[in-house]
């Protein structure tokens, strides 16, 4: 990557500042009756924690969010009120208004983050992540993708390839979430989103290493090629190797 030290990937189709609905599709799904408020809150919290809508970006409009989640706008506003009270989003009025994600401010900064991470079973998280990721890659390659799925996967890869360094982790998360969603298992996608949020907390405790990101990008390319070629064994092996590289870095810095 010729400009690796300055840029590692360009935001897909210029939508990085707002977070388009398509990018949120893996996480925003109709909730079950009986726990509408709680499940809607969980889903939107995952969107924010994963950085799928970056700081300063706007969440989908209330009408769109309510339809995607299968809840009333009254319930949605209660959810958004909680997020505002927690300092995660703010509501703006006017022609360019909406609900905007606020910059992440962890009380206590890095020390507080490390204290939270200390309570995490790192090995359990890394192993569960590997099982889900390897399985998703294999399923995508084995069953093949529809033309729209191929387009989305290629676009997600392109986004990681040219993204600004500070935006790489978000684009990387989107690529992996896209693979999980294209596996065809909503349950896998939901569980991967949850474990990825924890993985991102772990990654926030270590530095972004350009050499590692360049190596990771080569693995991403080989992985996507294997999936698109229908090489299930190759896709699983490349994903396993990719997860192992991330795990090695996290163990080195955190354990």
């Amino acid at each position: 990557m010729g400009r690796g030290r300055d840029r590692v990937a360009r935001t897909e189709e210029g939508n990085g500042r707002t977070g388009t609905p398509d990018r949120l599709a893996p996480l925003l799904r109709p909730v079950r009756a009986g726990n509408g408020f709680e499940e809607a809150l969980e889903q939107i919290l995952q969107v924010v924690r994963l950085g799928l809508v970056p700081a300063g970006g706007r969440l989908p409009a209330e009408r769109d969010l309510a339809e995607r989640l299968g809840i009333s706008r009254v319930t949605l506003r209660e959810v958004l009120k909680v997020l505002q009270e927690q300092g995660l989003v703010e509501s703006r009025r006017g022609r360019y208004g909406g609900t905007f994600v606020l910059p992440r401010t962890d009380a206590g900064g890095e020390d507080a983050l490390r204290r939270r991470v200390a309570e995490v079973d790192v090995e359990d998280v890394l192993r569960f992540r590997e099982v889900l990721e390897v399985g998703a890659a294999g399923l995508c390659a084995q069953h093949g993708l529809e033309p729209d799925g191929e387009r989305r996967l290629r676009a997600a890869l392109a986004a990681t390839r040219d993204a600004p360094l500070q935006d790489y982790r978000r684009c990387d998360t989107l690529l992996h979430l896209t693979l999980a969603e294209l596996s065809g298992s909503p349950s896998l996608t939901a569980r991967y989103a949850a474990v990825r949020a924890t993985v991102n907390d772990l990654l926030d405790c270590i530095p972004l290493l350009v050499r590692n990101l360049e190596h990771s990008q080569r693995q991403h390319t080989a992985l996507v090629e294997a999936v698109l070629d229908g090489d299930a064994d190759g896709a699983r092996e490349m994903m396993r190797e990719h997860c192992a590289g991330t795990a090695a870095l996290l163990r080195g810095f955190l354990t």
Side-chain angles (χ1 to χ4, degrees):
M1 301 188 308
R3 294 178 293 171
R5 294 189 178 278
D6 299 316
R7 298 175 65 81
V8 184
R10 185 181 57 178
T11 305
E12 175 186 349
E13 299 176 358
N15 290 324
R17 289 173 297 183
T18 57
T20 64
D22 282 348
R23 291 183 167 190
L24 308 184
L27 297 185
L28 297 180
R29 57 197 181 278
V31 301
R32 292 170 294 183
N35 292 314
F37 171 81
E38 291 81 3
E39 291 190 16
L41 179 59
E42 177 188 18
Q43 290 186 38
I44 299 178
L45 275 171
Q46 283 187 338
V47 166
V48 174
R49 285 189 65 201
L50 287 167
L52 299 188
V53 178
R58 183 171 56 192
L59 292 175
E62 284 188 7
R63 180 177 179 180
D64 183 32
L65 265 180
E67 289 179 354
R68 286 172 176 269
L69 295 168
I71 59 176
S72 70
R73 293 179 71 171
V74 171
T75 299
L76 176 63
R77 285 168 184 157
E78 292 175 350
V79 169
L80 296 178
K81 181 180 178 181
V82 171
L83 297 177
Q84 289 184 64
E85 291 172 347
Q86 295 300 309
L88 297 174
V89 303
E90 70 174 1
S91 178
R92 302 177 192 168
R93 297 183 178 277
R95 182 177 178 183
Y96 300 105
T99 303
F100 293 80
V101 175
L102 293 173
R104 189 170 171 178
T105 55
D106 293 308
E110 185 175 338
D111 288 343
L113 181 59
R114 286 186 176 275
R115 284 195 296 272
R116 291 207 310 273
V117 167
E119 300 173 358
V120 173
D121 185 335
V122 175
E123 288 301 321
D124 178 60
V125 169
L126 296 177
R127 289 171 184 168
F128 188 43
R129 181 246 178 140
E130 180 179 336
V131 168
L132 294 177
E133 294 254 36
V134 170
L139 286 171
C140 287
Q142 181 178 343
H143 296 295
L145 301 178
E146 297 293 333
D148 181 64
E150 292 187 3
R151 179 193 62 78
R152 289 180 54 206
L153 188 57
R154 292 182 190 278
L157 175 65
T160 61
R161 186 164 49 238
D162 301 322
L165 192 61
Q166 67 273 16
D167 202 34
Y168 183 83
R169 191 158 291 157
R170 183 176 67 87
C171 293
D172 175 63
T173 298
L174 282 166
L175 172 61
H176 286 266
L177 271 172
T178 299
L179 265 174
E181 183 194 7
L182 293 176
S183 73
S185 170
S187 294
L188 187 154
T189 304
R191 281 158 181 76
Y192 177 68
V195 77
R196 180 69 194 215
T198 303
V199 169
N200 281 0
D201 278 346
L202 296 174
L203 290 170
D204 283 343
C205 290
I206 71 174
L208 282 168
L209 306 175
V210 171
R211 182 172 179 178
N212 165 251
L213 297 186
E214 291 174 344
H215 178 229
S216 178
Q217 195 58 32
R218 289 193 293 272
Q219 291 176 329
H220 282 159
T221 301
L223 170 64
V224 169
E225 289 176 352
V227 169
L228 296 178
D229 288 344
D231 180 3
D233 288 340
R236 283 190 289 261
E237 185 56 35
M238 182 50 62
M239 182 62 89
R240 188 175 289 110
E241 179 181 313
H242 182 61
C243 289
T246 302
L249 275 182
L250 290 172
R251 290 187 185 107
F253 277 101
L254 300 178
T255 63

